[in-house]
Amino acid sequence: MATTADPVVSVDDKIAKLRADVAKLDQISENEKAGFISLVSRYLSGEAEQIEWSKIQTPTDEVVVPYDTLTTPPEDLDETKKLLDKLVVLKLNGGLGTTMGCTGPKSVIEVRNGFTFLDLIVIQIESLNKKYGCSVPLLLMNSFNTHDDTQKIVEKYSNSNIEIHTFNQSQYPRIVTEDFSPLPSKGKAGKDGWYPPGHGDVFPSLNNSGKLDLLLAQGKEYVFVANSDNLGAIVDIKILNHLINNQNEYCMEVTPKTLADVKGGTLISYEGRVQLLEIAQVPDEHVNEFKSIEKFKIFNTNNLWVNLKAIKRLVEAEALKMEIIPNPKEVDGVKVLQLETAAGAAIRFFDKAIGINVPRSRFLPVKATSDLLLVQSDLYTLVDGFVIRNPARTNPANPSIELGPEFKKVANFLARFKSIPSIVELDSLKVSGDVWFGSGITLKGKVTITAKSGVKLEIPDGAVLENKDVNGPDDL
């Protein structure tokens, strides 16, 4: 790992120099400095454990529990209230909507009927608290990128029946690859000098912010962690009941892989423990095997249920040494390195950790405008903040949708549809070029729409396209 500048710098010298540089950065706390140095030290010491492929075993139903074998929780309202009063919901809210052309937190993109992700999350928890008379709080883990905007947005929920807490995940300095110094100490004082170190940071940040002690003092036992853009990640009393009864300290929701999810991390049994296997850990010669949906049939939805006391115990013992994900970037022509961790990788440190193989409906992320098209269409309806799938669709899989770069930004996407087409009977849609949709359009089967270069192609109001290739107005 020696740098080109000075091939004889030892790892210890490198860390000592970095520690001295970081000590001078006054924008971050002592906890953040210590966490950062610890992460870099682990990375430089090369402690990444190689997975021995031959030792990988497929987890049994005891380790990855089929959802339909979970016992039905008590019907009694008081019993359900008792369960829910042990729960906290935490949404990972550190991401910006830049991929979709939005400024500010991704969670404030409008999803449906004028409601944002955050609105829907708040409405869901409000209706739970109202129905059962419980008090499930909502926590938002922001990053320094989303903190200020989120604080303003949260004010509009001040009259709701939910306790809303926000806290920030750590802020770490990007490392200049050439000489392993922190980028901010080279005069990059703005946001570009820093990065949030992945959602694996949720555990130490929850503790450092004081929120963990507060929740434990309120008698809370479990936190349900999910991405704020996953509309399927709603509170499930059946899962909570199972974890409390079986004293599982950690549960990862997994769901059957389709060809769209081949890169997703999967659960394996390894040396007697359940463990997350990510594509980055897979030796090159086994990548195709990893992507096959025959051998590795499930993937991580990043819906996680974790015991709060166990988090406290492991964070204080500094035992959560998750696999490090090196993320090389470039800032103004300078090559930098970000070291990150993922929350799912923590599974192997908790006692009685399990996976639960949940229905696909619990995984409905909106990563791109093609996903937005699905959730805004007649494939779903909105009830009490919950996005409910249309029973008229017989195929359990959602249609596959590919939209060209003209649709990438939310504003452009919305401008190109007078109304969202009916897609209940659609298998796949591929759109490329300068295509505009009228209102009341129905798409069925396999539909491909291609506008030739320099030509504006308008699909008229009320058009019904079934198993069609449209290359110009003559095909309509």
Side-chain angles (χ1 to χ4, degrees):
M1 297 256 176
T3 59
T4 45
D6 187 354
V8 288
V9 178
S10 72
V11 166
D12 290 347
D13 290 344
K14 238 183 201 178
I15 290 169
K17 181 182 176 302
L18 190 63
R19 186 177 270 121
D21 287 342
V22 168
K24 297 177 196 144
L25 300 174
D26 52 11
Q27 299 96 320
I28 55 174
S29 68
E30 293 307 312
N31 278 333
E32 287 169 308
K33 291 175 185 178
F36 173 69
I37 294 294
S38 159
L39 192 63
V40 176
S41 308
R42 283 176 50 215
Y43 173 72
L44 286 176
S45 67
E47 69 157 54
E49 294 169 34
Q50 285 304 309
I51 293 272
E52 276 188 58
W53 201 253
S54 57
K55 288 187 180 175
I56 290 178
Q57 291 177 309
T58 304
T60 61
D61 282 0
E62 278 74 58
V63 179
V64 176
V65 182
Y67 182 81
D68 50 18
T69 64
L70 300 180
T71 51
T72 310
E75 289 288 309
D76 188 63
L77 282 178
D78 285 345
E79 289 302 310
T80 307
K81 175 188 185 305
K82 274 184 206 161
L83 283 176
L84 286 169
D85 277 335
K86 296 176 178 178
L87 183 68
V88 180
V89 173
L90 191 161
K91 297 289 180 174
L92 302 170
N93 190 47
L96 292 165
T98 39
T99 339
M100 295 162 79
C102 297
T103 54
K106 188 175 177 187
S107 57
V108 300
I109 291 175
E110 282 190 14
V111 186
R112 204 180 159 114
N113 306 8
F115 292 116
T116 65
F117 289 105
L118 211 47
D119 293 337
L120 295 178
I121 292 162
V122 169
I123 294 166
Q124 287 165 14
I125 299 177
E126 269 189 327
S127 47
L128 261 186
N129 285 346
K130 196 169 158 194
K131 182 175 179 183
Y132 296 104
C134 53
S135 58
V136 175
L138 170 64
L139 272 78
L140 300 172
M141 180 169 87
N142 302 319
S143 66
F144 60 88
N145 289 316
T146 60
H147 172 75
D148 293 346
D149 287 337
T150 304
Q151 292 302 93
K152 289 190 200 104
I153 292 154
V154 165
E155 284 171 14
K156 77 172 189 179
Y157 308 120
S158 55
N159 297 328
S160 69
N161 66 350
I162 314 180
E163 207 180 296
I164 300 180
H165 301 269
T166 61
F167 67 100
N168 272 16
Q169 73 177 108
S170 305
Q171 174 173 336
Y172 285 176
R174 286 174 161 159
I175 305 162
V176 179
T177 315
E178 191 191 15
D179 62 359
F180 240 74
S181 61
L183 189 57
S185 62
K186 301 215 156 180
K188 280 271 173 226
K191 283 189 173 177
D192 280 353
W194 306 90
Y195 75 98
H199 47 62
D201 185 54
V202 62
F203 305 117
S205 293
L206 195 55
N207 188 50
N208 294 341
S209 66
K211 298 294 180 191
L212 184 54
D213 289 338
L214 177 76
L215 296 166
L216 287 167
Q218 292 177 352
K220 303 299 180 190
E221 291 180 25
Y222 278 87
V223 59
F224 172 42
V225 181
N227 295 347
S228 62
D229 66 5
N230 179 4
L231 295 169
I234 58 178
V235 170
D236 188 303
I237 297 165
K238 218 171 170 180
I239 294 177
L240 179 64
N241 182 50
H242 182 87
L243 302 180
I244 290 172
N245 288 342
N246 293 281
Q247 297 181 313
N248 304 108
E249 287 189 346
Y250 187 111
C251 164
M252 175 187 289
E253 293 185 38
V254 292
T255 199
K257 242 190 211 185
T258 66
L259 291 171
D261 320 302
V262 291
K263 290 182 178 168
T266 190
L267 284 184
I268 56 170
S269 289
Y270 191 78
E271 296 185 327
R273 288 188 84 87
V274 61
Q275 192 164 328
L276 179 69
L277 176 64
E278 297 273 16
I279 194 161
Q281 297 163 274
V282 177
D284 291 347
E285 64 271 23
H286 294 290
V287 166
N288 285 341
E289 196 180 336
F290 175 82
K291 287 180 170 180
S292 115
I293 56 180
E294 271 70 58
K295 177 163 183 177
F296 298 103
K297 295 186 166 70
I298 52 173
F299 75 98
N300 170 20
T301 61
N302 219 35
N303 297 349
L304 310 170
W305 301 73
V306 195
N307 180 286
L308 293 166
K309 279 185 183 153
I311 295 175
K312 184 79 183 161
R313 180 187 81 233
L314 292 167
V315 168
E316 290 192 336
E318 293 183 16
L320 292 174
K321 296 188 179 341
M322 280 95 87
E323 287 77 6
I324 296 171
I325 307 156
N327 188 354
K329 300 252 179 187
E330 207 168 287
V331 179
D332 298 337
V334 179
K335 287 189 165 50
V336 295
L337 184 61
Q338 301 182 177
L339 302 177
E340 301 170 12
T341 59
I347 190 166
R348 62 195 177 95
F349 300 105
F350 288 83
D351 294 337
K352 294 192 177 175
I354 57 167
I356 293 182
N357 194 350
V358 298
R360 184 78 191 196
S361 57
R362 293 191 57 76
F363 184 65
L364 188 61
V366 179
K367 300 289 180 200
T369 50
S370 51
D371 302 319
L372 210 47
L373 174 58
L374 286 174
V375 298
Q376 291 188 347
S377 74
D378 57 350
L379 208 49
Y380 291 95
T381 47
L382 207 54
V383 181
D384 292 340
F386 299 99
V387 179
I388 312 284
R389 201 163 184 270
N390 188 338
R393 175 151 180 109
T394 46
N395 183 345
N398 276 343
S400 90
I401 295 181
E402 277 182 64
L403 302 174
E406 295 79 3
F407 292 82
K408 189 178 177 188
K409 295 185 170 177
V410 175
N412 297 348
F413 162 83
L414 294 172
R416 286 174 178 274
F417 288 97
K418 263 198 209 166
S419 71
I420 300 291
S422 164
I423 59 171
V424 176
E425 294 175 56
L426 179 70
D427 296 323
S428 67
L429 170 68
K430 196 171 179 179
V431 182
S432 44
D434 187 12
V435 178
W436 298 76
F437 290 81
S439 59
I441 291 167
T442 305
L443 304 173
K444 301 179 180 187
K446 290 189 173 175
V447 179
T448 309
I449 304 171
T450 314
K452 294 186 180 72
S453 180
V455 177
K456 179 178 181 180
L457 179 56
E458 299 189 41
I459 312 296
D461 295 352
V464 177
L465 304 180
E466 184 167 3
N467 294 322
K468 248 185 136 80
D469 273 349
V470 180
N471 295 299
D474 305 344
D475 299 327
L476 291 164

